[in-house]
Amino acid sequence: MTNIIAKFYLLYFQDLRHMKILFRVFLALFAMSLASSAFSKQESFKALSNRVFDLAQKQYIAMSESVKDSGRFPRSIKDGKLETSDRGWWCSGFFPGSLWYIYEYGKDESVKNLALLFTKKLEPLSFANTPIDHDIGFQINCSYGNAYRLTKDKALLPIMLASAEKLSKRFSPKVGAIKSWNWKSGYPVIIDNMMNLELLCKASKISSNKAYLDVAKAHADTTMENHFRPDGSSFHLVLYDENSGAVLRRQTWQGLSDASAWARGQAWGLYGYVMMYRETEVCAYLRQAEKIAKFILEHKNLPADKVPLWDFDAPKDGLRDASAAAIIASALIDLSQLTKDRKLSKLCLQTAETQLRTLSSDAYLAKPGTNCNFILKHSVGSLPHKSEVDVPLSYADYYFLEALLKFNRLGIY
Ligand code: GLY
């Protein structure tokens, strides 16, 4: 016996090299078994979605109760209390929109009733004699757009059409874009405005009036021409001369500097061009979306958990913006299905999944009954204005729920 062991030893362990190889094989097997047990412990996407939507339903019903009779809409948290807005604020459509998404997932009739209640509170925005915010596209598409998608109630359509009509009146053929704010001089157009085009595209389909689609395409073309840098990032604001249509200057409003890449601006741009390609099948919009996606996905400052800093050029220990992550996730899921670039498609999906898992973790997801009943923590409204810094924001919740629904619809898990 001793002889056999001695022979075995001489055969396999006589030089150190063999021992090292054996040790490495052992280490690799150990690491693989650890990785596979960690993988099998990862929460399934279905379980994650059930957990988040269950929380969302409880939080949003409680929030509805607190504002139902006030004529106001949840917006954020200020000084530790729920901050609300009137219906004229650009974010008023996100709360009913989130209620529609919660209804879409859970099919609870009481949530549907709340979604309808808060949606209808926005009807006056469509009246010709009420002031218009250039973000009427956000306000009406997130509320009425989802209401119509889920109920097919034709009585909702005149409000969408009247709102699209109001929005299209802010279009200047000279500039080739819809005006953002009413500045005393100049014609400002922000990248965020790409998001308002979805209402125009839908209105065009509903009414067969091509004029709305033409406005949307012209705005997207002008923005593509003037807002983007060679690396695919965008300026926040382009100021035009409204008489000549010439570009006067390019600057930021909510970003770190004129030359920086404000994270939510990149998110709006990405979402906007993916949506415009989906609605129009104009290939230039897909190419633009791919370029923006590559800027984001390959950026050296995009953290491993894929929740961006509030500005891609902010210091690495700066604040993160959950709202930008949620918007990007939603857009990346769509892009993964539209792009013909298989490598990019895979990366889009992997990144969106990481974003959704990160946002569903304790670091970002509120505990029940906390966070003034918002779902997500840690968004940034406008850091340069010291407004809504590291707080929940109604649109972070909205795009997070939207992205979860889209991911589930893919049926991967
Ligand atoms: N202006 C819209 C935003 O803050 O993203």
Side-chain angles (χ1 to χ4, degrees), residues 252-356:
T252 195
W253 188 250
Q254 284 159 258
L256 182 69
S257 73
D258 291 347
S260 75
W262 174 50
R264 201 164 52 255
Q266 312 316 305
W268 292 142
L270 175 65
Y271 192 117
Y273 281 96
V274 174
M275 177 276 297
M276 280 304 288
Y277 176 67
R278 195 188 64 220
E279 295 294 325
T280 65
E281 295 182 14
V282 172
C283 290
Y285 300 151
L286 178 62
R287 283 198 299 275
Q288 189 63 46
E290 289 169 339
K291 209 167 167 194
I292 304 168
K294 284 179 186 161
F295 172 83
I296 294 171
L297 297 171
E298 291 166 8
H299 202 286
K300 64 179 179 8
N301 289 345
L302 184 66
D305 66 12
K306 311 297 179 195
V307 175
L309 292 158
W310 71 278
D311 188 300
F312 279 93
D313 297 297
K316 283 204 176 110
D317 59 353
L319 289 171
R320 307 288 198 89
D321 181 11
S323 76
I327 299 158
I328 291 169
S330 181
L332 288 178
I333 295 166
D334 282 349
L335 183 57
S336 76
Q337 304 304 296
L338 295 169
T339 182
K340 316 277 178 298
D341 178 339
R342 291 176 66 179
K343 197 168 145 220
L344 178 64
S345 167
K346 200 168 159 210
L347 188 58
C348 286
L349 220 48
Q350 280 169 347
T351 305
E353 182 180 352
T354 304
Q355 288 172 322
L356 294 178

Side-chain angles (χ1 to χ4, degrees), residues 39 42-50 52-53 101 104-105 149 271 278 297 306 325-337 344-360 398-413:
F39 183 74
Q42 189 177 47
E43 187 181 24
S44 75
F45 211 80
K46 192 73 205 157
L48 178 152
S49 305
N50 286 343
V52 172
F53 274 96
Y101 286 148
E104 183 172 358
Y105 192 83
R149 185 175 62 83
Y271 192 117
R278 195 188 64 220
L297 297 171
K306 311 297 179 195
I327 299 158
I328 291 169
S330 181
L332 288 178
I333 295 166
D334 282 349
L335 183 57
S336 76
Q337 304 304 296
L344 178 64
S345 167
K346 200 168 159 210
L347 188 58
C348 286
L349 220 48
Q350 280 169 347
T351 305
E353 182 180 352
T354 304
Q355 288 172 322
L356 294 178
R357 287 194 183 277
T358 306
L359 295 178
S360 304
Y398 175 86
Y399 290 102
F400 176 48
L401 298 178
E402 179 180 276
L404 285 170
L405 283 167
K406 283 183 186 173
F407 207 92
N408 274 293
R409 245 176 256 138
L410 295 180
I412 299 174
Y413 299 105

Side-chain angles (χ1 to χ4, degrees), residues 90 135 138 181 190 192 236 254 262 264 268 381 395:
W90 75 277
D135 281 328
F138 275 114
W181 306 303
I190 52 175
D192 325 27
H236 187 192
Q254 284 159 258
W262 174 50
R264 201 164 52 255
W268 292 142
Y395 44 96

Side-chain angles (χ1 to χ4, degrees), residues 89 111 174:
W89 178 241
V111 176
K174 196 74 193 171

Side-chain angles (χ1 to χ4, degrees), residues 214-228:
D214 289 345
V215 166
K217 281 160 84 174
H219 182 101
D221 292 347
T222 304
T223 302
M224 205 155 58
E225 181 84 21
N226 295 323
H227 262 78
F228 288 92

